[in-house]
Amino acid sequence: MSDYKAPDWAEAYATARDEIWEKDPHYRGFLAALEELNNETDRGMALVITSFIDRMLGDIIAAFLIDNPSTKVLLSSFNAPLGTFSSKIAACHALGLIDDDEAAEINILRKVRNEFAHQVEVSFDSGRVKDLCGNLPAVRGKDDNVRGKFTATAISMLIPLLSRPKEVAQKRLTWGKWSQWSEKAKQYS
């Protein structure tokens, strides 16, 4: 038995981490998704993890836009303009809510997801999927394992996205004061 005692900062970190995992709905959902991924087929894993990223992007957009019925129409109504994974990636990128590298990596993950969603016989060893994953950033110890590289990249994308809605909400759009122009126009009529 070892006499090793973790430093105080390590214990404080572990306590804070456990509280976040228990209380924050995004982290709790992330933990549930991670546990589910261990038992999934290649197809299931690709679909589950990318659906979680898709949901996070929707949450990020919703946190940025004004909270009104139009935001819900844009994100979740029938034929919602921002209802698809690709439109959420593009919107987040155009609004500056994700950076160039994040957008590029998420788009690769999306393309891999599409391969699994639209092909019957596909795995991480399949040509197109393997080629797409070859464009993902290098992950130490995972480059020779395509599924591992995909999973590591997706998880490394999810971790910063989990807190992004809260960060983005601090810069949420507000109503403009457009009526001043209407008043000036009335003066000339």
Side-chain angles (χ1 to χ4, degrees):
M1 197 160 188
S2 171
D3 291 331
Y4 174 78
K5 181 180 181 326
D8 291 337
W9 65 265
E11 289 180 31
Y13 169 79
T15 301
R17 179 202 61 217
D18 291 346
E19 287 177 14
I20 290 170
W21 286 104
E22 289 176 22
K23 295 178 183 174
D24 187 289
H26 292 114
Y27 282 94
R28 198 170 44 244
F30 178 58
L31 180 61
L34 284 179
E35 290 170 351
E36 186 177 331
L37 289 178
N38 290 330
N39 301 319
E40 288 292 342
T41 62
D42 284 358
R43 179 185 312 281
M45 194 278 296
L47 296 176
V48 168
I49 203 158
T50 54
S51 70
F52 202 74
I53 293 171
D54 184 1
R55 190 180 110 214
M56 291 309 308
L57 294 177
D59 289 351
I60 291 166
I61 295 168
F64 185 68
L65 298 177
I66 293 171
D67 186 18
N68 64 27
S70 293
T71 296
K72 290 172 183 55
V73 168
L74 286 172
L75 289 167
S76 60
S77 68
F78 176 73
N79 281 336
L82 299 178
T84 66
F85 195 9
S86 60
S87 66
K88 288 175 194 167
I89 297 166
C92 283
H93 190 227
L95 293 168
L97 305 175
I98 59 174
D99 66 29
D100 293 342
D101 292 335
E102 290 171 322
E105 289 176 25
I106 295 170
N107 264 312
I108 294 169
L109 298 175
R110 177 188 60 81
K111 289 175 183 177
V112 170
R113 188 266 333 240
N114 287 349
E115 288 296 312
F116 281 103
H118 301 293
Q119 302 296 324
V120 175
E121 293 184 24
V122 67
S123 73
F124 279 103
D125 295 323
S126 300
R128 174 108 169 105
V129 170
K130 194 172 185 176
D131 291 345
L132 285 166
C133 290
N135 294 316
L136 292 170
V139 179
R140 189 174 52 183
K142 298 290 183 188
D143 282 348
D144 58 338
N145 176 342
V146 180
R147 178 181 167 135
K149 185 175 185 181
F150 178 88
T151 305
T153 301
I155 289 171
S156 71
M157 293 305 311
L158 273 172
I159 291 171
L161 292 179
L162 289 168
S163 61
R164 192 80 46 95
K166 185 176 179 180
E167 295 172 55
V168 165
Q170 295 170 358
K171 296 183 180 189
R172 174 172 246 153
L173 292 176
T174 58
W175 291 103
K177 306 246 188 249
W178 311 116
S179 60
Q180 66 184 357
W181 296 104
S182 298
E183 294 302 317
K184 287 185 181 186
K186 288 178 189 176
Q187 292 174 357
Y188 296 110
S189 13

